[in-house]
Amino acid sequence: MGFVDLRSDTATRPTPGMREAIARADVGDEQRRDDPTVNELERRVAELLGQEAAVFLPTATMGNQIALRLLSEPGDELLADGWSHLFLNELGGAAVHSGLAIRPLPCVDGRFSADAVREAMWDRRDTHRPVTRIVSIENTNNSAGGRIWPVDEVAAVAEACRELDLRLHLDGSRLMNAAVASGVPPAEFGRHCDAVTLCLSKGLGCPLGALVAGSAERMAKARRLKHLFGGAMRQAGIVAAAGIYALDHHVERLSDDHARAQRLAEGWHAAGLPVDLAQVETNFVLLDIEPLGLSKWDVLQTLNGAGVGLSGTVHPTRLRAVTHLDISDEDIDAAIELAPQALGARV
Ligand SMILES: Cc1ncc(COP(=O)(O)O)c(C=O)c1O
């Protein structure tokens, strides 16, 4: 058994079928809208997300940043989970690219309520405050451990946003995990939002690629922003073909990743490792190492030495294991055996 790489669902390598689709791709100059494969992917993803149009991009970070820029003016305020990818992992992009002030909302499991939005919004008559303009939600929520925003909660936040004249962005990098796990079509989440990011290089198993979706008018602007941000490509159908293949072959199978995460969590829990079973809703398992009395780095190194790759999270004592396309049932069996053994020796 080789190394069981549970560090991230970005670790996947294209399957033979995906590589074949890439090799066969019909391509053209994407900047001129001449790439039929990119055009087809954009059409399919817009429909999938319940939006009029979508724009193909190299990364989900670019999707989020374009969305923020589209939906705001410099000096406006963005409300989101303080541990959202937008706030923590995009290097201050909201401030750099869009001149936004940011404010974290109180969250439980990565989610905030419609009332929290109502309470947080500054009164626009107050000229001493930024104009609260955008609310961003992340589904599934990465820092909370792949937790799902249920569709009724998304709808409630969207309703508050409409009522308050706020724009709603959905970082749906892992939206397909949320959709498959909750049995709700992705469009049911997406249709409530003004902009949606979908990532192809996580659970969907593509080597790269993401899309931002929204109204036709906004996506025309998004195309210009894509160029401005250096994301306008040429024969990008080579990559878009992987995206189309993933939509055809890698969506339903996400339930296998979820079942494997569940089995891993139960196995570790039964072996005495500190795992909260209630947290496991999709493909993440969080391991809280506080009771082990070891540093994150010690645990990561010990597990690495035992052949199991986990990664750190923003939380000081939580590590994560993430299942994905390249993780088999045998890998899960191995991780269930090896990790408690390696850590048991240290407890
Ligand atoms: C929730 C979320 N949003 C956005 C991103 C950014 O994705 P990319 O690496 O494609 O820019 C990530 C990456 O891990 C993520 O987890």
Side-chain angles (χ1 to χ4, degrees), residues 245-322:
Y245 182 89
L247 294 181
D248 289 338
H249 298 93
H250 293 172
V251 173
E252 292 312 317
R253 66 149 306 284
L254 289 171
S255 58
D256 298 341
D257 295 344
H258 301 165
R260 289 184 180 120
Q262 186 67 42
R263 198 158 68 78
L264 179 66
E266 284 166 9
W268 280 353
H269 187 260
L273 288 186
V275 167
D276 172 12
L277 294 177
Q279 160 268 314
V280 187
E281 294 180 344
T282 57
N283 60 329
F284 284 54
V285 177
L286 297 184
L287 183 64
D288 194 333
I289 58 162
E290 195 175 9
L292 304 180
L294 297 166
S295 79
K296 262 190 192 183
W297 315 114
D298 275 347
V299 174
L300 286 173
Q301 222 172 9
T302 302
L303 290 174
N304 213 53
V308 184
L310 265 62
S311 57
T313 69
V314 56
H315 190 281
T317 63
R318 277 187 215 140
L319 303 181
R320 68 176 202 185
V322 186

Side-chain angles (χ1 to χ4, degrees), residues 116-155:
V117 172
R118 290 190 181 93
E119 280 161 29
M121 179 173 170
W122 298 120
D123 188 326
R124 290 202 179 144
R125 290 167 299 190
D126 186 340
T127 55
H128 286 77
R129 301 273 181 261
V131 175
T132 309
R133 183 76 69 189
I134 311 183
V135 174
S136 180
I137 61 181
E138 193 178 296
N139 202 10
T140 63
N141 184 286
N142 180 341
S143 296
R147 301 296 290 251
I148 299 169
W149 272 80
V151 73
D152 55 333
E153 291 187 31
V154 175

Side-chain angles (χ1 to χ4, degrees), residues 59-61 64 85 90 138 140 142 171 173-174 199 201-202:
T59 66
T61 298
N64 285 340
H85 196 276
E90 299 186 13
E138 193 178 296
T140 63
N142 180 341
D171 177 355
S173 287
R174 294 187 178 80
C199 189
S201 66
K202 300 190 170 67

Side-chain angles (χ1 to χ4, degrees), residues 83-115:
W83 281 358
S84 59
H85 196 276
L86 264 184
F87 279 6
L88 275 187
N89 304 109
E90 299 186 13
L91 309 184
V96 174
H97 301 303
S98 301
L100 292 173
I102 61 172
R103 192 145 51 107
L105 292 177
C107 284
V108 177
D109 300 331
R111 309 199 303 278
F112 46 83
S113 65
D115 282 345

